[in-house]
Amino acid sequence: MTSFDFDTVHDRKHTGSKKWALYGDDILPMWIADMDFPAPGPVIDAMKKRMNHPFFGYCLPQDEIRSRIVADMAEKYGWQISADDIVFLPGVEAGFNMALNSELEAGDGLLIQTPIYNPILTAHKHWGLTSVEAPLMPSQAGYVIDEEVLEAGFARSKAFLFCNPHNPTGKVFTATELALIADACIRHDLLLISDEIHCELVFDDRKHIPIASLSPDIAKRTVTLMSASKTYNIAGLKTSFAIVQDPALRQRVNAARSGLVDSVNVFGLQATLAAYESAGEWRKQMIAYLEGNRDYLQAEIARRFPKIRMIAAESTYLAWLDCSALDLPDAPQRFFLDKGKVAFSAGSDFGADYTHYLRINFGCPRSLITEGLDRMEAALKG
């Protein structure tokens, strides 16, 4: 069996990488959800092979990739879908905005669970919707739903923009929690838009459950959004897909492209197919490495920064840190950027109540995590 190397640090400066280009060369970037691991070998090989054919015109997704996704849903989740259920998109963000544009009207309520990553947090603004927040609550057992608050939110909303696995907390929703959500959406006649882009990045032998797989009743009102981009580190290839099992809903959502959402990238389709067909072992070893990174980060945060609270992520490569007790003179993101030359995602990007939080990307060689912690420590000592 091939053993993959996740420890080597690769120089990504001056490659057009948003992660490494936004700040100066002296800043260590640990912010945007972009891993510092090379894409899997089969993905790179597939793209090289496609490069040998010197035509890169407009493309249509072929039966091969549709069939692969259908098989993947059955093999990984026991979810039976058809090839016709799949709508290819250049990004998950485009997908949920298409669905909102298609199905909601100005003034309608849009339910979200804060803290939540910024494109979901601000999606209501594009369509004149009313944001309805039902925060996830930290507990000894992880992040949990406040059922009364969530139920009140359902009553005020026309759609629920759901994120599972959840960004930034890393929560993986249980079968019981998903059943509660599905039942509420059906009772209140809500559209459910489920962003499941991190579905292959779950830890500790947990299993991701697509919420639309629970029953035909919830499936017919759900737009599920997925992509190979996060798991296989190919986000720049701009390829994702929606699974919409109700034909009328699918037709309306797809029609909401409105001349704004174009076809997908020819290389993205090749990369996605190769990832799902041939990169399973790479993914398995990468998940194990990420689990080790999470555990290392958890232990080091507790040892070096006992005032920082970190609840272990159940998925993703993102850690959500409560820095309230540090009593810093600035917001933590600004403080560590200015004083430590390390860039994290600002908590305020995930909701107005999270100014004292940080999101850290630990999808990188472990030595970079150590360097980032060293910089944090130096900033606090300084």
Side-chain angles (χ1 to χ4, degrees):
M1 181 181 70
T2 302
S3 180
F4 298 99
D5 173 21
F6 299 102
D7 284 316
T8 297
V9 176
H10 297 266
D11 185 1
R12 298 183 63 191
K13 295 176 182 177
H14 312 296
T15 64
S17 163
K18 183 176 181 179
K19 180 178 184 178
W20 286 86
L22 185 65
Y23 299 100
D25 284 354
D26 61 335
I27 303 295
L28 176 65
M30 302 183 74
W31 62 292
I32 196 169
D34 172 348
M35 293 191 292
D36 286 310
F37 306 136
V43 170
I44 296 170
D45 291 343
M47 293 181 67
K48 287 179 178 178
K49 181 178 179 180
R50 180 62 183 82
M51 282 288 290
N52 289 331
H53 193 291
F55 291 87
F56 312 120
Y58 297 117
C59 63
L60 284 174
Q62 300 299 297
D63 290 344
E64 186 180 13
I65 190 168
R66 292 184 181 275
S67 298
R68 180 64 258 173
I69 291 171
V70 170
D72 238 42
M73 296 302 114
E75 292 166 7
K76 292 174 179 173
Y77 313 117
W79 186 18
Q80 305 300 321
I81 67 168
S82 73
D84 289 340
D85 296 337
I86 303 166
V87 178
F88 285 92
L89 303 164
V92 160
E93 184 178 349
F96 60 68
N97 277 288
M98 283 167 55
L100 294 175
N101 184 26
S102 166
E103 302 302 297
L104 274 68
E105 297 179 355
D108 285 346
L110 177 62
L111 181 63
I112 59 174
Q113 290 176 305
T114 50
I116 193 68
Y117 81 108
N118 196 258
I120 287 182
L121 181 71
T122 59
H124 69 284
K125 297 179 180 179
H126 304 311
W127 314 109
L129 306 175
T130 300
S131 181
V132 180
E133 297 185 9
L136 291 173
M137 307 305 295
S139 74
Q140 293 298 322
Y143 287 89
V144 298
I145 293 172
D146 184 322
E147 293 187 23
E148 290 186 7
V149 172
L150 187 62
E151 178 63 24
F154 279 117
R156 297 168 52 205
S157 303
K158 291 293 183 68
F160 180 21
L161 184 42
F162 183 45
C163 185
N164 178 36
H166 188 264
N167 175 1
T169 67
K171 176 179 175 60
V172 176
F173 289 82
T174 66
T176 300
E177 291 170 324
L178 293 173
L180 181 151
I181 290 167
D183 176 68
C185 287
I186 293 166
R187 283 189 291 105
H188 292 282
D189 191 25
L190 263 67
L191 170 71
L192 177 59
I193 307 170
S194 188
D195 177 350
E196 303 185 13
I197 196 170
H198 288 102
C199 61
E200 293 193 89
L201 292 163
V202 295
F203 301 145
D204 309 314
D205 296 320
R206 290 180 177 83
K207 301 297 182 184
H208 174 74
I209 304 171
I211 193 168
S213 70
L214 295 183
S215 73
D217 285 341
I218 192 60
K220 71 182 182 182
R221 63 178 62 249
T222 301
V223 176
T224 303
L225 297 161
M226 293 181 172
S227 176
S229 62
K230 298 299 184 186
T231 302
Y232 303 96
N233 211 29
I234 52 174
L237 297 178
K238 296 295 182 181
T239 301
S240 67
F241 53 91
I243 299 172
V244 192
Q245 292 175 280
D246 181 78
L249 176 59
R250 182 170 63 249
Q251 184 176 20
R252 292 195 304 271
V253 170
N254 201 26
R257 292 175 181 267
S258 301
L260 299 174
V261 179
D262 203 351
S263 58
V264 295
N265 184 308
V266 61
F267 292 104
L269 289 172
Q270 293 295 129
T272 298
L273 179 61
Y276 289 154
E277 282 188 336
S278 305
E281 181 58 34
W282 181 93
R283 171 183 166 270
K284 180 180 177 181
Q285 292 184 35
M286 185 268 297
I287 292 291
Y289 190 87
L290 287 179
E291 286 183 359
N293 276 0
R294 176 203 58 183
D295 295 344
Y296 172 72
L297 179 63
Q298 184 94 19
E300 287 295 288
I301 290 288
R303 182 178 71 84
R304 301 191 196 203
F305 315 107
K307 290 185 177 182
I308 295 179
R309 183 182 186 189
M310 173 183 166
I311 296 175
E314 299 170 346
S315 65
T316 78
Y317 41 82
L318 305 168
W320 186 235
L321 273 57
D322 181 354
C323 302
S324 304
L326 291 178
D327 195 25
L328 299 173
D330 296 309
Q333 190 271 348
R334 173 53 57 184
F335 176 83
F336 288 116
L337 180 63
D338 290 344
K339 306 297 184 183
K341 303 299 181 183
V342 55
F344 304 120
S345 295
S348 57
D349 289 343
F350 301 83
D353 295 333
Y354 304 99
T355 303
H356 298 295
Y357 283 74
L358 290 174
R359 191 189 72 174
I360 292 182
N361 178 347
F362 58 84
C364 59
R366 203 158 299 161
S367 61
L368 292 184
I369 298 176
T370 301
E371 182 179 345
L373 293 171
D374 289 346
R375 292 183 182 214
M376 289 177 67
E377 200 166 34
L380 288 170
K381 288 179 178 178

